Amino acid sequence: MTLQQLKYMIIVAERGSITEAAKELYISQPSLSGAIKEVEKESGITIFSRCRAGVALTKEGMEFLGYARQVVQQMELLESKYSDLGILYLCNSNENVLRKLFEEYNLNFFELFTATPHIFIGKDHPLAKCASVRLDDLKPYPRLSFVQGTYESSNYSEELFSNEPAERSIKVSDRAAIVNLMIGLDGYTISSGIFPKYLQGDSIISIPLEEDEVMHIGYILNKDKELSELGEIYVEALKQYQT
């Protein structure tokens, strides 16, 4: 079972409803139900009992949730203690706002490389054979967006052109769900064009997006700190994508 699945269990228990938990997590109800079944199968216990009002923890589920909370809390402590840098991008639409925040929070931005916009789509998508596309070409297809935290304005979005209107827009908090929706719903997301093959092999492709924008990809670091040894290794690995 994964850390993400443990977080799912905690949210379901807090909400007492798979439907409400799915809304909060920005994933579909069947996907959340499937995650619960996977965890219950792997753990060999029934974590939730279904009732008229929603779901309730079983006796075994209460014990399981106690351990799950400990694991999640310990991971959060590890991340807060040892995560010494953050990866992000600057572009025309967000640079002024983000640089003000860097100054406010005593952060430096170190650019690693630049990238032009691309779309990610499934290899069987109707646009898959195009050499490049424009935003207008994407209008018939659902736009997929990853929501990570509280901020959802375009200045904090993980995707370029998030302020552009879309007839159909799907927001999720699970990156794996975005990949599945690209393949199953002919959805798309906009990013740098850098996609790790281990996620879905050759099922996902990137196509240049012919729009006037450039992503300045880099990392932020507190002005009073230096990169840790692990951070330096990570940054060197990222530099392989320089163009």
Side-chain angles (χ1 to χ4, degrees):
M1 64 190 72
T2 67
L3 184 66
Q4 185 69 63
Q5 288 175 330
L6 294 182
K7 292 179 179 179
Y8 287 173
M9 301 302 107
I10 293 171
I11 296 298
V12 172
E14 290 176 347
R15 297 294 169 266
S17 165
I18 294 177
T19 301
E20 294 304 314
K23 290 179 182 178
E24 181 170 333
L25 293 164
Y26 295 101
I27 63 174
S28 69
Q29 186 173 333
S31 294
L32 184 54
S33 296
I36 294 172
K37 289 179 181 178
E38 287 180 13
V39 173
E40 290 182 327
K41 181 179 179 180
E42 187 172 346
S43 62
I45 63 172
T46 299
I47 299 173
F48 295 104
S49 61
R50 276 62 175 176
C51 57
R52 185 177 301 176
V55 295
L57 285 167
T58 63
K59 183 178 179 180
E60 292 175 315
M62 293 178 68
E63 183 179 7
F64 176 90
L65 197 70
Y67 288 118
R69 288 187 187 278
Q70 290 180 37
V71 172
V72 172
Q73 288 168 359
Q74 289 299 315
M75 181 56 69
E76 289 173 349
L77 286 173
L78 281 172
E79 290 175 345
S80 64
K81 184 173 179 63
Y82 295 109
S83 296
D84 57 353
L85 60 84
I87 306 299
L88 47 73
Y89 71 89
L90 301 180
C91 65
N92 291 334
S93 62
N94 72 8
E95 183 168 7
N96 288 339
V97 172
L98 291 184
R99 286 201 181 276
K100 288 180 180 179
L101 284 175
F102 298 161
E103 188 65 30
E104 180 180 349
Y105 288 97
N106 199 37
L107 300 170
N108 280 327
F109 176 77
F110 299 91
E111 184 171 321
L112 293 171
F113 56 90
T114 60
T116 54
H118 286 65
I119 62 166
F120 289 137
I121 55 177
K123 64 180 179 60
D124 297 320
H125 192 282
L127 300 177
K129 297 186 182 300
C130 296
S132 63
V133 296
R134 304 289 303 232
L135 286 173
D136 285 345
D137 300 323
L138 301 173
K139 288 183 177 179
Y141 309 103
R143 180 173 65 195
L144 310 174
S145 302
F146 180 74
V147 179
Q148 184 167 242
T150 303
Y151 300 114
E152 292 188 38
S153 74
S154 60
N155 293 322
Y156 305 103
S157 174
E158 293 211 1
E159 293 83 21
L160 289 168
F161 307 109
S162 61
N163 56 345
E164 294 289 332
E167 293 182 8
R168 290 180 290 170
S169 180
I170 302 173
K171 298 182 183 294
V172 299
S173 60
D174 185 346
R175 294 189 189 278
I178 283 188
V179 174
N180 292 333
L181 291 172
M182 284 183 208
I183 298 171
L185 295 181
D186 282 340
Y188 71 91
T189 190
I190 301 174
S191 190
S192 62
I194 301 169
F195 187 84
K197 290 291 185 182
Y198 65 80
L199 288 179
Q200 279 288 342
D202 296 320
S203 298
I204 301 297
I205 62 173
S206 64
I207 296 177
L209 181 62
E210 297 294 336
E211 299 292 341
D212 186 21
E213 187 60 276
V214 175
M215 301 176 73
H216 298 270
I217 299 173
Y219 65 93
I220 52 173
L221 183 68
N222 193 291
K223 291 180 179 179
D224 302 324
K225 292 185 178 181
E226 295 182 356
L227 278 176
S228 66
E229 182 179 353
L230 185 60
E232 290 178 353
I233 294 172
Y234 183 50
V235 167
E236 287 303 312
L238 289 173
K239 287 180 178 178
Q240 68 177 296
Y241 296 106
Q242 293 184 71
T243 56

